[in-house]
Coordinates of all heavy atoms in Angstrom, one line a residue:
S539 N -23.6 41.2 22.7 CA -23.6 41.6 24.1 C -24.4 40.6 24.9 O -23.9 40.2 26.0 CB -24.2 43.0 24.3 OG -23.4 44.0 23.5
A540 N -25.5 40.2 24.4 CA -26.4 39.3 25.2 C -25.7 38.0 25.5 O -25.8 37.3 26.5 CB -27.7 39.0 24.5
A541 N -24.9 37.5 24.5 CA -24.2 36.2 24.6 C -23.1 36.3 25.7 O -22.7 35.3 26.2 CB -23.6 35.8 23.3
G542 N -22.7 37.5 26.1 CA -21.6 37.6 27.0 C -22.1 38.0 28.4 O -21.2 38.3 29.3
V543 N -23.4 38.0 28.7 CA -23.9 38.5 30.0 C -24.0 37.3 30.9 O -24.6 36.3 30.6 CB -25.3 39.1 29.8 CG1 -25.9 39.4 31.2 CG2 -25.1 40.4 29.1
V544 N -23.3 37.4 32.1 CA -23.5 36.5 33.2 C -24.0 37.3 34.4 O -23.3 38.2 34.8 CB -22.1 35.8 33.5 CG1 -22.3 34.9 34.7 CG2 -21.6 35.1 32.3
E545 N -25.2 36.9 34.9 CA -25.8 37.6 36.0 C -25.1 37.3 37.3 O -24.9 38.2 38.1 CB -27.2 37.3 36.1 CG -28.0 37.8 34.8 CD -29.5 37.6 35.0 OE1 -30.0 37.9 36.1 OE2 -30.1 37.1 34.1
S546 N -24.7 36.0 37.5 CA -24.0 35.7 38.8 C -23.4 34.3 38.6 O -23.8 33.5 37.7 CB -25.0 35.6 39.9 OG -26.0 34.6 39.7
L547 N -22.4 34.0 39.5 CA -21.7 32.7 39.5 C -21.7 32.3 40.9 O -21.5 33.1 41.9 CB -20.3 32.8 39.0 CG -20.1 32.9 37.5 CD1 -18.6 33.1 37.1 CD2 -20.6 31.7 36.8
H548 N -21.9 30.9 41.1 CA -21.9 30.4 42.5 C -20.9 29.2 42.5 O -20.7 28.5 41.6 CB -23.3 29.9 42.8 CG -24.4 31.0 42.8 ND1 -24.7 31.6 44.0 CD2 -25.1 31.5 41.8 CE1 -25.6 32.5 43.7 NE2 -25.9 32.5 42.4
S549 N -20.3 29.1 43.7 CA -19.3 28.0 43.9 C -20.0 26.7 44.0 O -21.2 26.6 44.3 CB -18.6 28.3 45.2 OG -17.8 29.5 45.2
S550 N -19.3 25.6 43.7 CA -19.8 24.3 43.9 C -18.8 23.5 44.7 O -17.8 24.1 45.2 CB -20.0 23.6 42.5 OG -18.7 23.4 41.9
D551 N -18.9 22.2 44.9 CA -18.0 21.4 45.7 C -16.6 21.4 45.1 O -15.6 21.5 45.8 CB -18.5 19.9 45.8 CG -19.6 19.8 46.8 OD1 -19.8 20.7 47.6 OD2 -20.4 18.8 46.7
T552 N -16.5 21.4 43.8 CA -15.2 21.3 43.2 C -14.7 22.6 42.5 O -13.5 22.7 42.1 CB -15.3 20.2 42.1 OG1 -16.3 20.5 41.2 CG2 -15.5 18.8 42.8
V553 N -15.5 23.6 42.3 CA -15.1 24.9 41.7 C -15.5 26.0 42.7 O -16.7 26.1 43.1 CB -15.8 25.1 40.4 CG1 -15.4 26.4 39.8 CG2 -15.4 24.0 39.4
L554 N -14.5 26.8 43.0 CA -14.8 28.0 43.9 C -14.8 29.2 43.1 O -14.0 29.4 42.2 CB -13.7 28.0 45.0 CG -13.5 26.8 45.9 CD1 -12.3 27.1 46.8 CD2 -14.7 26.5 46.7
V555 N -15.7 30.1 43.4 CA -15.9 31.4 42.7 C -15.5 32.5 43.7 O -16.1 32.6 44.8 CB -17.3 31.6 42.2 CG1 -17.3 33.0 41.5 CG2 -17.7 30.6 41.2
K556 N -14.4 33.3 43.4 CA -13.9 34.2 44.4 C -13.8 35.6 43.7 O -13.7 35.7 42.5 CB -12.5 33.8 44.9 CG -12.5 32.5 45.6 CD -11.2 32.1 46.2 CE -11.2 30.8 46.9 NZ -9.8 30.5 47.5
D557 N -13.8 36.6 44.6 CA -13.6 38.0 44.1 C -12.1 38.3 44.0 O -11.3 37.4 44.3 CB -14.3 39.0 44.9 CG -13.9 39.0 46.4 OD1 -12.8 38.5 46.7 OD2 -14.6 39.4 47.3
L558 N -11.7 39.5 43.7 CA -10.3 39.8 43.5 C -9.6 39.8 44.8 O -8.3 39.7 44.8 CB -10.2 41.1 42.8 CG -10.8 41.2 41.4 CD1 -10.5 42.6 40.8 CD2 -10.2 40.1 40.5
Q559 N -10.3 39.8 45.9 CA -9.6 39.7 47.2 C -9.4 38.3 47.7 O -8.9 38.1 48.8 CB -10.4 40.6 48.3 CG -10.3 42.1 48.1 CD -11.0 42.6 46.9 OE1 -12.1 42.1 46.6 NE2 -10.4 43.5 46.1
G560 N -9.9 37.3 46.9 CA -9.8 35.9 47.3 C -10.9 35.4 48.1 O -10.8 34.3 48.6
D561 N -11.9 36.2 48.4 CA -13.1 35.7 49.1 C -14.2 35.2 48.2 O -14.3 35.7 47.1 CB -13.7 36.9 50.0 CG -12.6 37.4 51.0 OD1 -11.9 36.6 51.5 OD2 -12.6 38.7 51.1
E562 N -14.9 34.2 48.7 CA -16.0 33.7 47.8 C -17.1 34.8 47.6 O -17.4 35.5 48.5 CB -16.6 32.5 48.5 CG -15.7 31.2 48.4 CD -16.5 29.9 48.7 OE1 -17.6 29.8 48.1 OE2 -16.0 29.1 49.5
A563 N -17.5 34.9 46.3 CA -18.5 35.9 46.0 C -19.4 35.3 44.8 O -19.1 34.3 44.2 CB -17.8 37.2 45.6
T564 N -20.4 36.0 44.5 CA -21.3 35.6 43.4 C -21.5 36.6 42.3 O -22.0 36.3 41.2 CB -22.7 35.3 43.9 OG1 -23.3 36.5 44.6 CG2 -22.7 34.1 44.9
S565 N -21.1 37.9 42.5 CA -21.2 38.9 41.5 C -20.0 39.8 41.5 O -19.2 39.8 42.5 CB -22.5 39.7 41.6 OG -22.6 40.3 42.9
G566 N -19.9 40.7 40.5 CA -18.8 41.6 40.4 C -17.6 41.0 39.7 O -17.8 40.1 38.8
D567 N -16.4 41.4 39.9 CA -15.2 40.8 39.3 C -14.9 39.5 40.0 O -14.6 39.5 41.2 CB -14.0 41.8 39.5 CG -14.2 43.1 38.7 OD1 -14.9 43.0 37.6 OD2 -13.7 44.1 39.1
L568 N -15.1 38.4 39.2 CA -15.0 37.1 39.8 C -13.9 36.3 39.1 O -13.5 36.5 38.0 CB -16.3 36.3 39.6 CG -17.5 37.0 40.2 CD1 -18.8 36.2 39.9 CD2 -17.4 37.1 41.7
T569 N -13.3 35.3 39.9 CA -12.3 34.4 39.4 C -12.6 33.0 39.8 O -12.7 32.7 41.0 CB -10.9 34.8 39.9 OG1 -10.6 36.1 39.6 CG2 -9.8 33.8 39.4
P570 N -12.9 32.1 38.9 CA -13.2 30.7 39.3 C -11.9 29.9 39.4 O -10.9 30.2 38.7 CB -14.0 30.2 38.1 CG -13.6 31.0 36.9 CD -13.2 32.3 37.4
E571 N -11.9 29.0 40.3 CA -10.7 28.1 40.5 C -11.1 26.8 41.0 O -12.1 26.6 41.7 CB -9.7 28.8 41.4 CG -10.1 29.0 42.9 CD -9.1 29.6 43.7 OE1 -8.5 30.6 43.3 OE2 -8.8 29.1 44.8
L572 N -10.3 25.7 40.7 CA -10.6 24.4 41.1 C -10.3 24.3 42.6 O -9.4 24.9 43.2 CB -9.8 23.4 40.4 CG -10.1 23.1 39.0 CD1 -9.1 22.2 38.3 CD2 -11.5 22.4 38.9

Side-chain angles (χ1 to χ4, degrees):
S539 299
V543 170
V544 177
E545 296 185 47
S546 63
L547 284 177
H548 297 266
S549 297
S550 66
D551 285 341
T552 54
V553 178
L554 301 177
V555 180
K556 299 182 178 181
D557 58 23
L558 298 183
Q559 286 72 42
D561 300 321
E562 288 197 47
T564 59
S565 60
D567 294 328
L568 303 174
T569 301
E571 63 179 49
L572 286 173

